Amino acid sequence: MREAGRTQRAHRTVLGGRVSPSSRPVATITFIALCVLMYLADYVAPVYQLFAFSPAIGQIEPWRMLTSAFLHAGWLHLLVNMYALWIVGPFLEEMLGRWRYVALYLLSALGGSVAVVLLTPVSQWGYSVVGASGAVFGLFAAIAVVLKRTGRDARQILVVIAINVVFSLIIARVSWQAHLGGLVVGAALGFLFAYLPKERRSSGAVVGVVTSAVVLVGVTLLAYA
């Protein structure tokens, strides 16, 4: 059966994702594995101190704006984010295709860090922000757009987003800024990927991803300036 699956031709989803009988959510599994490995590595090395992000340190070491998305402050934090990622990630990875899904995840994570810089008072720039929540919120927003585009019921995911937004505002030590930034970037990229005309799906996605990255970097430089 495995050999027969390899010989069957792959097909495309309505949004251009490539699907074959042997397809696995490789990108989603990789993101989860990286988060778990980074958490475990912190027990034997100062991983948290080296890769956590705060607006103050981000001005000197900007790569932390992405590396912090693979760190978590405790098992519960890790488990909640990885569960959410596993619930929504495979569907989006299949619908969008691997490279667009990876771009969505990473840019949503970056958007969360950018929002932290923009919306956090300078007096609090020394506080660290970690977690995949910004990226996960980006996936939440994107999946709502994709469900709408494909004629499916998006009410459940919209309720999930609303509940998480409320929790972000009322629970102490939760970065609502990162959640908001990921949500905005995820919605924008989700709309782009879902509504591009078929003949411009690949080139338009590349232009959109590059433009989004440039805008996020530019906004960050202006904020720091």
Side-chain angles (χ1 to χ4, degrees):
M1 290 177 64
R2 189 180 301 113
E3 188 62 31
R6 291 195 188 102
T7 60
Q8 291 182 30
R9 295 185 62 183
H11 67 275
R12 299 278 179 177
T13 67
V14 294
L15 300 183
R18 187 175 182 273
V19 182
S20 68
S22 59
S23 291
R24 287 191 179 93
V26 175
T28 301
I29 293 171
T30 301
F31 288 141
I32 292 174
L34 286 172
C35 289
V36 172
L37 287 173
M38 291 281 275
Y39 185 82
L40 295 175
D42 193 54
Y43 284 99
V44 296
V47 173
Y48 193 97
Q49 289 83 354
L50 289 173
F51 298 112
F53 168 72
S54 71
I57 196 67
Q59 190 169 10
I60 305 168
E61 300 178 355
W63 59 84
R64 290 174 179 250
M65 299 179 78
L66 275 178
T67 59
S68 61
F70 297 94
L71 297 174
H72 290 84
W75 275 108
L76 182 59
H77 189 204
L78 175 68
L79 288 174
V80 169
N81 277 338
M82 294 306 96
Y83 175 73
L85 176 55
W86 182 249
I87 292 299
V88 301
F91 173 76
L92 278 175
E93 186 174 346
E94 179 179 287
M95 290 297 293
L96 299 177
R98 195 160 293 153
W99 85 263
R100 286 186 294 174
Y101 171 74
V102 170
L104 170 67
Y105 186 93
L106 295 178
L107 285 177
S108 294
L110 179 60
S113 295
V114 172
V116 170
V117 175
L118 291 175
L119 302 175
T120 301
V122 177
S123 61
Q124 299 177 17
W125 271 22
Y127 293 104
S128 295
V129 179
V130 296
S133 301
V136 170
F137 265 74
L139 299 186
F140 282 166
I143 201 171
V145 176
V146 168
L147 289 173
K148 182 69 175 176
R149 168 67 176 81
T150 55
R152 307 183 191 192
D153 189 355
R155 286 178 294 182
Q156 288 186 342
I157 192 64
L158 291 175
V159 170
V160 170
I161 292 173
I163 291 172
N164 279 276
V165 167
V166 172
F167 282 163
S168 300
L169 296 174
I170 65 176
I171 297 178
R173 301 187 67 183
V174 172
S175 177
W176 62 267
Q177 299 94 328
H179 293 178
L180 178 62
L183 200 66
V184 170
V185 173
L189 287 176
F191 188 86
L192 174 74
F193 295 155
Y195 286 94
L196 276 170
K198 185 176 181 179
E199 62 275 10
R200 298 180 183 176
R201 188 173 285 155
S202 296
S203 60
V206 171
V207 172
V209 167
V210 172
T211 302
S212 299
V214 170
V215 169
L216 289 172
V217 172
V219 169
T220 304
L221 292 175
L222 287 174
Y224 278 133

